[in-house]
């Protein structure tokens, strides 16, 4: 048994969709979440900047004695995972949100043309294309940067006419018309999964990675026999942000499914 917390970092609070999935699957695990709202969004930042921000966040999570760290952000996973592994991998297991979903897609053996929707940083990195090229060279990968979707969702615009207009504009790109699967490569996008499925009318499998990522966390804890003691009381969860605003506080309901107390923590002082 290991009652130390799971550390989760994100560029903002969209990663709470994954934190919520981890909480559902592993309710006896403590979570320490850090959302870098001061530098949000990471999607338009350089790799160097993202790596720098994430390095400081990992140091903060290590100070909370975390037993595992999950990078709950595609942009950060694409830009900073290698750097973080080199610097901290000998101290603590670090997971990203890209490898588990790539492995899951390949295991299904039913996809021939896979689409990827993500931020500019994720798409520009070509991390999905490169991983699939190495592991499943016969799989065709079509990537599409969709920079308006994350801020739209954070402002509460989903499941309405505005969101449908933006989503349909992106998905009408001709290169996305012949895919059989679509990876939602941003932790905000599960909130618009139903609208994306509606656009494709069931002809394309829309792949939400949240549950896959949560299962990967569980698998890692099982391998290392690091599950928390299930006989103790349900633990408190701690959610930190680098810049507190009432809009982010309200948005926690959107991403986590219930209102949470956010604590501002300045780690760049």
């Amino acid at each position: 048994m290991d009652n130390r917390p799971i550390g989760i970092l994100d560029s903002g609070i969209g990663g709470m969709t994954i934190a919520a999935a981890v909480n559902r699957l592993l309710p006896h695990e403590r979570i320490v979440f850090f959302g870098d709202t001061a530098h949000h969004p990471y999607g338009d930042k350089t790799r160097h900047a993202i790596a720098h921000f994430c390095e400081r966040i990992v140091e903060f999570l290590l100070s909370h004695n975390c037993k595992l760290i999950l990078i709950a952000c595609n942009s950060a996973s694409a830009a900073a995972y290698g750097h973080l592994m080199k610097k901290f991998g000998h101290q603590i297991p670090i997971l990203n949100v890209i490898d588990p979903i790539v492995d899951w897609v390949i295991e299904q053996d039913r996809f021939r043309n896979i689409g990827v929707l993500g931020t500019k940083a994720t798409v520009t990195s070509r991390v999905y294309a490169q991983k699939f090229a190495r592991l499943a060279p016969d799989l065709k990968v079509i990537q599409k940067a969709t920079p308006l979707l994350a801020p739209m969702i954070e402002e509460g615009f989903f499941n309405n006419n505005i969101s449908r207009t933006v989503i349909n504009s992106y998905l009408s790109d001709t290169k996305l018309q012949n895919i059989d699967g679509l990876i939602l490569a941003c932790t905000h996008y599960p909130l618009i999964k139903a609208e994306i499925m509606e656009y494709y009318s069931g002809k394309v499998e829309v792949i939400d990675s949240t549950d896959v990522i949560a299962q990967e966390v569980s698998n890692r804890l099982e391998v290392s026999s690091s599950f928390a003691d299930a006989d103790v009381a349900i633990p408190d969860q701690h959610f930190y942000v680098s810049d507190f605003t009432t809009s982010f506080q309200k948005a926690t309901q959107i991403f986590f499914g219930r209102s949470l107390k956010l604590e501002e923590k300045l780690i760049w002082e």
Side-chain angles (χ1 to χ4, degrees):
M1 296 297 178
D2 188 340
N3 290 326
R4 292 179 298 160
I6 296 169
I8 300 179
L9 71 87
D10 184 35
S11 59
I13 58 174
M16 284 186 177
T17 56
I18 291 180
V22 171
N23 184 239
R24 287 193 301 270
L25 183 64
L26 303 167
H28 289 282
E29 296 292 340
R30 280 197 298 141
I31 291 173
V32 177
F33 179 97
F34 191 97
D36 190 9
T37 51
H39 300 110
H40 171 81
Y42 280 2
D44 58 4
K45 302 292 190 298
T46 66
R47 293 179 64 90
H48 176 77
I50 295 171
H52 172 69
F53 300 148
C54 289
E55 182 177 325
R56 295 301 301 272
I57 297 170
V58 169
E59 290 171 348
F60 173 78
L61 295 174
L62 287 173
S63 74
H64 280 71
N65 197 30
C66 292
K67 60 186 173 184
L68 176 148
I69 290 175
L70 170 63
I71 309 171
C73 170
N74 277 266
S75 297
S77 292
Y81 176 67
H83 171 74
L84 297 178
M85 283 296 295
K86 288 180 182 178
K87 189 169 183 67
F88 302 107
H90 64 287
Q91 296 177 247
I92 188 170
I94 301 175
L95 308 183
N96 65 68
V97 293
I98 296 173
D99 289 331
I101 199 63
V102 167
D103 291 342
W104 182 89
V105 167
I106 294 171
E107 288 170 2
Q108 306 316 301
D109 195 31
R110 62 175 176 270
F111 300 108
R112 297 296 176 264
N113 299 285
I114 197 83
V116 178
L117 292 188
T119 65
K120 288 181 181 178
T122 298
V123 170
T124 301
S125 74
R126 302 195 75 252
V127 62
Y128 280 94
Q130 291 168 357
K131 288 181 180 293
F132 279 122
R134 186 174 71 253
L135 300 173
D138 293 333
L139 184 67
K140 183 178 180 182
V141 180
I142 302 96
Q143 299 187 109
K144 176 73 175 179
T146 50
L148 293 180
L149 293 183
M152 176 188 77
I153 294 166
E154 288 195 351
E155 291 298 325
F157 290 104
F158 55 96
N159 294 323
N160 59 34
N161 290 334
I162 293 174
S163 61
R164 290 188 187 93
T165 298
V166 176
I167 291 167
N168 291 355
S169 177
Y170 279 134
L171 297 183
S172 63
D173 189 330
T174 54
K175 66 183 182 181
L176 291 175
Q177 299 311 301
N178 296 314
I179 58 175
D180 46 31
L182 181 67
I183 297 174
L184 304 184
C186 174
T187 52
H188 289 67
Y189 297 178
L191 295 173
I192 55 172
K193 179 179 179 180
E195 293 173 270
I196 294 174
M197 292 174 66
E198 179 182 336
Y199 175 87
Y200 284 113
S201 303
K203 297 176 183 178
V204 172
E205 184 172 345
V206 181
I207 304 164
D208 168 6
S209 64
T210 52
D211 289 335
V212 174
I213 304 303
Q215 186 59 56
E216 179 65 15
V217 172
S218 179
N219 293 345
R220 290 295 188 99
L221 295 181
E222 182 176 15
V223 167
S224 58
S225 300
S226 299
F227 287 121
D229 188 350
D231 293 329
V232 301
I234 300 298
D236 292 332
Q237 315 294 0
H238 296 277
F239 294 84
Y240 298 93
V241 291
S242 52
D243 183 32
F244 178 86
T245 66
T246 54
S247 62
F248 280 126
Q249 178 67 72
K250 292 177 181 177
T252 60
Q253 179 77 39
I254 296 173
F255 292 103
F256 202 81
R258 67 175 189 267
S259 183
L260 301 168
K261 179 183 178 182
L262 300 182
E263 180 178 340
E264 184 175 85
K265 189 68 176 179
L266 303 179
I267 61 174
W268 286 274
E269 293 178 319

